[in-house]
Amino acid sequence: MRSSMSWEDLWPLLLDGTLDTLYMVGLAALFTVLIGLPLGVLLFLTRRDGVLPAPRLNKVLGSIINVGRSLPFIVLLIALIPLTRIIVGTTLGSTAAVVPITIGAFPFFARVVESALDEVDKGRIEAILSMGGNAWHVVSKVLLPEALPAILAGVTLTVVMLIGFSSMAGVIGGGGLGDLAIRYGYQRFNNQVMVGTVIVLIVMVHLVQSLGDHLVRRLAHRR
């Protein structure tokens, strides 16, 4: 049965859903960067011709990341329900959704970081090593500073992806705008809710992309 809802009743729901989505995306983005950034650096360093060559380790890490990237997120959401329950104690709500969202995103971000580091001038790396520098010096003095604009662009791209992931998490009761769209929009055939959530998501993505592009341009200009 089609149901109707006044805009006065819809605004509080949209606000709560937006806050839940921002919470999920913010927390998942933090964990994604904390896991994906060092993993991407390690992938770059352990190449056969890298600063810390370890082909076997690189192959294992690469395989794990490729598996993570190959799984559709909706499948990952369901497959990680037991792990989510172990970590959070529940599979419902915004906090529980952070677990599969993070696991679904960090392999992608790790590859973004690795690609960004690939663009760094190899001559700068060789210069640091020739002066007695070690892997830490290469990472802290050359790789991360030189690749920062590209990494920041990757963070922006990843956050936009996380917004989409957070919406899909509504399928398993993850909260946020996705859950709002499913429970009030799809299941109750309420077009107002569907339109409202779509508009908020579009605005959210636009703001994130605009802010990220602005920061990347400022960093590139300073360089």
Side-chain angles (χ1 to χ4, degrees):
M1 177 180 293
R2 186 178 299 277
S3 62
S4 60
M5 179 182 296
S6 67
W7 287 105
E8 289 76 12
D9 295 328
L10 179 58
W11 286 122
L13 292 175
L14 283 176
L15 178 59
D16 289 342
T18 301
L19 292 177
D20 283 346
T21 297
L22 291 175
Y23 168 76
M24 283 189 288
V25 171
L27 204 56
L30 174 63
F31 289 134
T32 296
V33 172
L34 289 178
I35 298 172
L37 180 61
L39 188 56
V41 172
L42 190 60
L43 281 169
F44 181 81
L45 294 178
T46 57
R47 291 175 174 178
R48 188 175 300 275
D49 58 345
V51 178
L52 295 173
R56 290 184 179 179
L57 175 60
N58 186 275
K59 186 175 181 179
V60 170
L61 292 177
S63 298
I64 293 173
I65 288 175
N66 289 338
V67 169
R69 293 183 61 194
S70 65
L71 292 176
F73 183 66
I74 190 65
V75 174
L76 197 63
L77 274 175
I78 299 171
L80 291 175
I81 285 178
L83 178 63
T84 301
R85 185 179 290 112
I86 292 173
I87 295 176
V88 183
T90 180
T91 59
L92 301 176
S94 302
T95 301
V98 171
V99 175
I101 291 174
T102 301
I103 293 176
F106 83 79
F108 170 80
F109 184 65
R111 286 299 188 191
V112 169
V113 172
E114 183 185 19
S115 297
L117 299 180
D118 248 340
E119 301 301 319
V120 176
D121 183 9
K122 301 301 186 293
R124 301 287 300 276
I125 298 175
E126 294 172 358
I128 291 290
L129 294 175
S130 66
M131 292 187 291
N134 54 30
W136 170 249
H137 294 133
V138 170
V139 172
S140 61
K141 302 295 184 182
V142 178
L143 290 179
L144 293 183
E146 292 290 327
L148 187 57
I151 291 175
L152 183 56
V155 170
T156 302
L157 184 63
T158 302
V159 171
V160 170
M161 183 179 69
L162 289 174
I163 294 174
F165 281 2
S166 71
S167 299
M168 283 188 279
V171 173
I172 60 169
L177 292 169
D179 186 56
L180 176 64
I182 292 172
R183 288 195 295 120
Y184 289 89
Y186 175 71
Q187 294 179 352
R188 302 186 185 183
F189 302 99
N190 192 316
N191 291 330
Q192 287 175 302
V193 174
M194 295 298 292
V195 171
T197 53
V198 168
I199 291 175
V200 173
L201 288 170
I202 290 174
V203 171
M204 195 178 297
V205 169
H206 177 75
L207 290 176
V208 168
Q209 190 67 58
S210 298
L211 177 60
D213 291 344
H214 174 69
L215 293 176
V216 169
R217 284 195 298 268
R218 289 195 62 179
L219 281 175
H221 179 71
R222 288 182 180 180
R223 292 168 56 81

